[in-house]
Amino acid sequence: QVQLVENGGGLVQSGGSLRLSCAASGRVFQIYNMGWYRQVPGKERELVARLSIGGSSDVADSVKGRFTISGDFAKSTVLLQMNSLKPEDTAVYYCNVVVYGATQYWGQGTQVTVSS
């Protein structure tokens, strides 16, 4: 089992910045992917950005150049720096990790609201 604790999020004006953090505990030695997803009501959860232990990363086209993901697999932490936020970035953001065997774990979610 892996437990995830998220921090950050909140309300910000368009053009502002926020930083999300996520810390994992438990069987963290099995983690090989860490990342962030987001979801708005009525839509599927979508990938924002993720890191693999091998060093590769994926970032959604909608946030490229504005959001930066960073992580430390040794410390089991992952950060999402969000700059130049837009109202369409409003969503619940979820931390996600994948362990060997492809089991996924999710954080509780944190609300990000961007006002216009």
Side-chain angles (χ1 to χ4, degrees), residues 82-106:
M82 305 184 291
N83 298 328
S84 302
L85 282 159
K86 303 176 181 180
E88 51 263 44
D89 295 317
T90 296
V92 178
Y93 284 69
Y94 295 90
C95 179
N96 168 272
V97 302
V98 185
V99 301
Y100 290 105
T103 300
Q104 295 193 61
Y105 294 91
W106 296 93

Side-chain angles (χ1 to χ4, degrees), residues 18-58:
L18 286 172
R19 189 177 79 162
L20 306 182
S21 64
C22 177
S25 60
R27 301 180 70 83
V28 296
F29 59 91
Q30 295 183 330
I31 295 174
Y32 69 87
N33 267 357
M34 299 191 294
W36 293 92
Y37 287 71
R38 66 186 182 186
Q39 189 171 25
V40 298
K43 292 190 176 181
E44 291 189 357
R45 196 169 294 186
E46 64 175 7
L47 172 69
V48 177
R50 64 186 171 196
L51 296 170
S52 77
I53 198 169
S56 63
S57 63
D58 295 307

